[in-house]
Amino acid sequence: MANLVKNPSIQEKLYREIASVVGEKQSKLTYEEAVKEEDLQKIPYLKAVILEGLRRNPPGHFVLPHTAAEEDTAINFMVGEMGLDPNVWEDPMEFRPERFLVEGSDKGVDFDITGSKEIKMMPFGAGRRICPAFALAMLHLEYFVANLIWHFQWNPVEGDDVDLSEKQEFATVMKNPLRARIYSRVNSV
């Protein structure tokens, strides 16, 4: 959400894509107007936004160490650094969800987060040791972000720059919590 507050044009593009699938707003919010699970597959830019957020800010910067069988050597994967590697990602510090869309279009997302084809980032691990709930996590991320953007416009607090610096707790979290002004989108379309 911090990246969407910091990049209002991306937030607006995401809102417009959600509106094209769910329909224009009515005067009252109801459950029926929520983005539903079956809508998520029709919103490729949403998945691209989620993947870009996971690339830039994975939930953990390390996965559990692995041991090479022959050498008995521990191997650590720097998950947080993988997503910022300039040899893999063009302009890695820029928040640009379009990098995950097929040929830069809005046709769909072409990225293997499981690492079965290639490993460019691994926010949930990769291969046979990938988090068994990664698909559920992706579903929830898409569902929550879609509904937060569908129902509310997120703006930065005036005079307060969104700080994306991180700190380590159980998971990697924002060093300074997100401060945003949130406005209902009711009657805003």
Side-chain angles (χ1 to χ4, degrees), residues 124-187:
F124 301 109
R128 68 180 191 209
R129 290 187 176 88
I130 193 168
C131 173
F134 83 91
L136 182 63
M138 288 296 292
L139 172 67
H140 282 270
L141 284 168
E142 291 176 38
Y143 182 75
F144 288 134
V145 170
N147 278 290
L148 288 172
I149 295 301
W150 176 235
H151 289 288
F152 305 102
Q153 180 178 7
W154 295 68
N155 297 329
V157 172
E158 192 172 322
D160 186 24
D161 190 33
V162 176
D163 180 8
L164 296 173
S165 60
E166 302 172 333
K167 67 179 179 177
Q168 290 297 124
E169 290 188 355
F170 177 71
T172 304
V173 298
M174 292 180 73
K175 184 176 182 180
N176 300 304
L178 174 62
R179 291 175 23 119
R181 293 208 182 273
I182 304 168
Y183 300 95
S184 175
R185 292 194 188 262
V186 176
N187 295 324

Side-chain angles (χ1 to χ4, degrees), residues 2-77:
N3 282 298
L4 292 174
V5 171
K6 197 168 180 85
N7 297 281
S9 62
I10 293 172
Q11 182 182 161
E12 184 60 24
K13 181 176 180 177
L14 177 56
Y15 174 75
R16 290 286 158 212
E17 185 170 297
I18 293 167
S20 73
V21 171
V22 179
E24 296 300 323
K25 292 298 250 175
Q26 303 299 317
S27 61
K28 282 185 153 186
L29 292 175
T30 65
Y31 173 74
E32 288 76 31
E33 293 177 31
V35 180
K36 295 180 179 63
E37 184 177 344
E38 57 268 18
D39 297 327
L40 299 176
Q41 296 301 318
K42 302 171 195 162
I43 311 172
Y45 194 63
L46 171 64
K47 186 171 199 113
V49 166
I50 299 299
L51 288 170
E52 183 69 346
L54 288 169
R55 180 191 70 80
R56 287 283 316 274
N57 308 101
H61 281 235
F62 302 96
V63 292
L64 294 174
H66 294 72
T67 302
E70 292 180 25
E71 299 292 324
D72 199 32
T73 303
I75 301 170
N76 288 304
F77 291 92

Side-chain angles (χ1 to χ4, degrees), residues 75-161:
I75 301 170
N76 288 304
F77 291 92
M78 306 281 286
V79 175
E81 298 298 317
M82 291 175 80
L84 302 177
D85 185 351
N87 296 317
V88 176
W89 303 99
E90 182 181 324
D91 299 320
M93 297 309 291
E94 182 182 350
F95 188 80
R96 196 174 68 221
E98 289 77 12
R99 72 178 82 233
F100 288 97
L101 296 174
V102 175
E103 298 180 16
S105 73
D106 292 338
K107 300 286 187 251
V109 173
D110 183 28
F111 187 79
D112 173 31
I113 197 166
T114 66
S116 60
K117 295 179 186 174
E118 65 180 340
I119 298 176
K120 290 185 171 184
M121 65 182 214
M122 44 191 269
F124 301 109
R128 68 180 191 209
R129 290 187 176 88
I130 193 168
C131 173
F134 83 91
L136 182 63
M138 288 296 292
L139 172 67
H140 282 270
L141 284 168
E142 291 176 38
Y143 182 75
F144 288 134
V145 170
N147 278 290
L148 288 172
I149 295 301
W150 176 235
H151 289 288
F152 305 102
Q153 180 178 7
W154 295 68
N155 297 329
V157 172
E158 192 172 322
D160 186 24
D161 190 33

